[in-house]
Amino acid sequence: MRFTKKDFYFSVITGCITGFSAWRIFEYLAISEFGGHSFVWFLLIVPVLWILGVNFGYFLGGWFGFFNQFGKFAAIGFTNAAVDFGVLNLLIANTGISSGGWYPVFKGISFMSAIIPSYFWNKYWAFEGSPSTGSESSSGGFEFAKFMSVAVVAIFINIGTASLIVNYVNPLGGLSPAVWANAGAVVGSAVALIFSFVGFKLAVFKK
């Protein structure tokens, strides 16, 4: 497969969303500079990384076909994670709560904020061209219902993994509670990302 204009536009859009979210998250966590430079440069570098990543996926797809989709899915996944973390940190910043019983609630809200637009990214980009995206039996509400079924399981995996780390593992290396909350979110999102790709590919947008 070849890198298309659509790949370019989607890579730039999702890259900008990710770059902006990452920049603001680092600002909130008081990690505002790296080597004397503001993280605002994420707005430029992340879209470039997404373009390179999608192309690399196509390159690997020459040997392993699933990489043709996984390169795009990974870009979407990181974008979802950026939105997830952005909403999570917004809730933490406005409440001052970064652990305990409210953390799973905040994590659920932030994850849902990311997963709903994820359906459209995946349907019209990552898994574009799969027969199920155009068939009557899987279109519309039924397809979205299957997507949400996988997403709901992923939510519990994401929240459960993140909450386990945040609430039952002491912060490592003297990390602050807010930073540790994000560390838990990273691990939760990584586990959920792998599960989601398998679920979406085999159950929702399967060929």
Side-chain angles (χ1 to χ4, degrees), residues 10-28 31-32 37-51 74-86 121:
F10 275 63
S11 296
V12 170
I13 293 171
T14 55
C16 286
I17 292 173
T18 306
F20 177 80
S21 299
W23 167 42
R24 300 312 302 165
I25 290 170
F26 279 118
E27 288 281 343
Y28 166 67
I31 309 174
S32 58
H37 300 285
S38 169
F39 282 103
V40 68
W41 57 270
F42 276 2
L43 288 169
L44 296 176
I45 195 65
V46 176
V48 174
L49 291 176
W50 271 209
I51 291 171
I76 294 170
F78 281 113
T79 302
N80 294 342
V83 173
D84 183 352
F85 299 164
W121 294 121

Side-chain angles (χ1 to χ4, degrees), residues 8 15 17 23 32 45 57 81-82 84 88 92 103 116 119 135 160 170:
F8 175 79
I17 292 173
W23 167 42
S32 58
I45 195 65
D84 183 352
L88 176 64
I92 292 174
Y103 180 80
I116 292 176
Y119 169 74
S135 63
N170 293 325

Side-chain angles (χ1 to χ4, degrees), residues 43 60 63 96 99 105 109 114 125 133:
L43 288 169
L60 294 178
W63 291 276
S99 62
V105 177
I109 294 173
W125 187 30
T133 62

Side-chain angles (χ1 to χ4, degrees), residues 27-160:
E27 288 281 343
Y28 166 67
L29 295 176
I31 309 174
S32 58
E33 293 186 353
F34 178 77
H37 300 285
S38 169
F39 282 103
V40 68
W41 57 270
F42 276 2
L43 288 169
L44 296 176
I45 195 65
V46 176
V48 174
L49 291 176
W50 271 209
I51 291 171
L52 294 175
V54 172
N55 274 286
F56 187 58
Y58 284 145
F59 173 74
L60 294 178
W63 291 276
F64 306 99
F66 74 90
F67 274 111
N68 289 319
Q69 295 173 325
F70 189 78
K72 293 177 284 188
F73 180 82
I76 294 170
F78 281 113
T79 302
N80 294 342
V83 173
D84 183 352
F85 299 164
V87 174
L88 176 64
N89 280 280
L90 184 63
L91 292 170
I92 292 174
N94 282 279
T95 63
I97 300 172
S98 59
S99 62
W102 277 103
Y103 180 80
V105 177
F106 290 169
K107 195 67 186 69
I109 294 173
S110 66
F111 190 76
M112 284 302 298
S113 298
I115 202 64
I116 292 176
S118 174
Y119 169 74
F120 297 98
W121 294 121
N122 281 290
K123 177 179 175 65
Y124 295 109
W125 187 30
F127 297 99
E128 178 193 23
S130 296
S132 64
T133 62
S135 63
E136 293 183 2
S137 62
S138 298
S139 62
F142 181 59
E143 183 180 79
F144 184 72
K146 291 193 296 181
F147 179 90
M148 287 305 299
S149 295
V150 174
V152 166
V153 178
I155 288 173
F156 285 107
I157 292 174
N158 189 321
I159 296 173

